[in-house]
Amino acid sequence: MQTPLLLGILLDTRAKLLCSAIILAICLAISPYLAAQTRVTTWHYQNSRNSVNATETRLTLANVNATTFGKLFSDPVDGFVVGHPLYLPAVSIPGQGTHNVVYLATMNDSVYAFDANTPGAPLWQTSLLTFSGPGATPVPASVPGCVATNRWTQIGVVSTPVINLANSTIYVVAETLENSRVVHRLHALNIATGAEQPGSPVAITAKYVLNGVTYTFMDRYQVNRPGLLLVNNHVYIAMGSPGCDTSARGWVLSYNANTLQQDGTFDVEPGGKFAAIWQKGAGLSADSTGHIYGETGEGTFVSKTNLAMSVFKLTQGTGVITLADWFTPFNWQLLNSNDLDLNDGVLVLPPQPGAHPNEAIGLGKQGTIYLLDRNNMGHICSSTCTTSNTQIIQELKTAVGGESGTPIFFNGKLYFTGGSTVSVFAMNNGLIVTPRTQSGFVATGGHAIITANGNSNAILWNLGQSGVLWAMDAKTLKVLYTSRQAPNGRDTVPPTAHFATPIVADGELFIGTQSTLEVYGLLP
């Protein structure tokens, strides 16, 4: 009596196994779309610039190593990629179905959309030169000069674009040479087709009036290096010197995201020179109230008006951008004379316990950390401060290596990647706790990111200035992977633009190089 029952159980089990196998095969076939969940629409994930993707479920501490992780494929592009790629899952492309899409722009004034999971021709490609003046070309690097500083051969799209999901638009700033004249334009492209949206593009011009004097934006000597910022239906563009020209000044320009009409300008250094906002490509930052933050390089300082070597806070009004607050180190002249710019993105911290709930962190080439109260940034302590900036929450002198990238804040800790090591500081009650924890690994600067699944499987990623991609356990600082570990140069990163930055989403890492999009992930 038991045999038929056992046979039935066996057959039922085999049927379930077969069914499970079929379901698994189907799931594997469509897994890129089932697992896709992370949107990368702006520089380093969020407007706070905390550089953390906490929705990464595929890449773990166990599988990021040279055996199971590496380069998947490359797609060619027509020029240097300086800003980092952006990413959207499950985009419907007319006539081509649904794709996980990687977007990137080049110095040849081209914008690309690629399938993130499969190599091949772009889903679409738009040459912004088509929508420029007759005979337009990318700007030869010799026109503004500074070739030795930036190592660029031409200047087209420099910054990381930004995506507006509300109107399915990717915004890009392009630079062109037209009849010996340099022109900047803001382009708004449809994310599914690459077509220019109504009213796009618009030529960028700007004037700023201070004490009855009008200052004019000079295209030839300006470069949009920082990533674009989208907040409260405005696109913010930061400008600065191409690297060495004394005619440039720092600017912040605001455009309505729907109409592309200009809605305010701010000249960081009217009548002065330099004070570039370049931030090694890091985007301007914004807090939850919509205030805008950035850093400036060397130049002229005049209290309240000329803000070289400063961290600034701006407010958007009706048709105007105004200065809301600022901080300048007391020793700005020393920093200025030694080319020790404040040149990273401003990290806007989440609400903190203690006396200063709204904080931000500024950082520069020197490696000094400035912990600021966003409600009272401190201005300048020029008369009584001789050794430190006592008017701010906290200052840690040369606490991290020089040329560190924008700080990362994750799970109550701050990460810095300057100099020869990774430095980690805990935060307690709104203050930075010393001493720091250091890695024994050579970090070599650049803007790093962290991926995690919530608070677990936290991985620190960076592309050092030596061209080596690396991954590290964010908790123990143990190296998990470098692109030099795989045999036969399998994972070698091709030459990249200065301060190129990787970005990770849905189990894949994307890097723009001087001629390709490189895609890394779990090996087949």
Side-chain angles (χ1 to χ4, degrees), residues 5 29 35 59 72 85 127 263 273 296 329 387 404 463 465 501 510 519:
L5 178 61
L59 300 178
L72 300 178
S127 174
D263 202 22
K273 59 182 182 180
T296 61
T387 59
S404 184
L463 179 67
Q465 296 308 296
T501 301
F510 309 103
V519 181

Side-chain angles (χ1 to χ4, degrees), residues 433-492:
V433 179
T434 56
R436 62 180 174 175
T437 302
Q438 289 180 274
S439 73
F441 178 72
V442 177
T444 64
H447 299 296
I449 60 173
I450 282 180
T451 61
N453 184 5
N455 288 331
S456 66
N457 282 307
I459 300 174
L460 180 68
W461 303 84
N462 199 12
L463 179 67
Q465 296 308 296
S466 59
V468 177
L469 173 68
W470 54 262
M472 181 183 294
D473 184 324
K475 182 177 181 180
T476 67
L477 302 187
K478 175 185 176 182
V479 176
L480 304 171
Y481 164 88
T482 80
S483 55
R484 286 179 174 170
Q485 292 173 339
N488 304 316
R490 182 196 70 197
D491 295 345
T492 298

Side-chain angles (χ1 to χ4, degrees), residues 156-244:
V157 179
V158 185
S159 67
T160 300
V162 69
I163 293 175
N164 187 357
L165 295 174
N167 61 6
S168 301
T169 300
I170 180 169
Y171 302 92
V172 185
V173 171
E175 190 169 334
T176 55
L177 186 66
E178 303 170 20
N179 295 322
S180 301
R181 176 172 171 259
V182 175
V183 180
H184 291 83
R185 286 186 177 86
L186 173 61
H187 295 258
L189 308 180
N190 184 283
I191 60 173
T193 65
E196 294 271 6
Q197 301 280 42
S200 175
V202 293
I204 293 174
T205 61
K207 293 183 183 297
Y208 183 77
V209 179
L210 178 68
N211 298 328
V213 180
T214 300
Y215 301 92
T216 303
F217 179 83
M218 301 175 66
D219 284 270
R220 183 184 184 93
Y221 306 113
Q222 302 288 161
V223 169
N224 165 224
R225 187 73 180 272
L228 302 185
L229 171 69
L230 175 67
V231 62
N232 291 340
N233 205 44
H234 285 82
V235 178
Y236 292 92
I237 305 167
M239 295 282 188
S241 162
C244 60

Side-chain angles (χ1 to χ4, degrees), residues 149-160:
T149 301
N150 294 321
R151 304 170 225 168
W152 300 334
T153 57
Q154 59 183 1
I155 304 172
V157 179
V158 185
S159 67
T160 300

Side-chain angles (χ1 to χ4, degrees), residues 18 30 81 105 142 154 173 179 190 283 301 310 324 471 484:
L18 177 60
I30 64 173
V81 179
S142 58
Q154 59 183 1
V173 171
N179 295 322
N190 184 283
F301 175 79
S310 301
R484 286 179 174 170

Side-chain angles (χ1 to χ4, degrees), residues 14 209 254 265-266 293 359 411 418:
R14 291 179 65 183
V209 179
S254 169
T265 66
F266 183 77
Y293 301 84
E359 297 180 344
N411 203 19

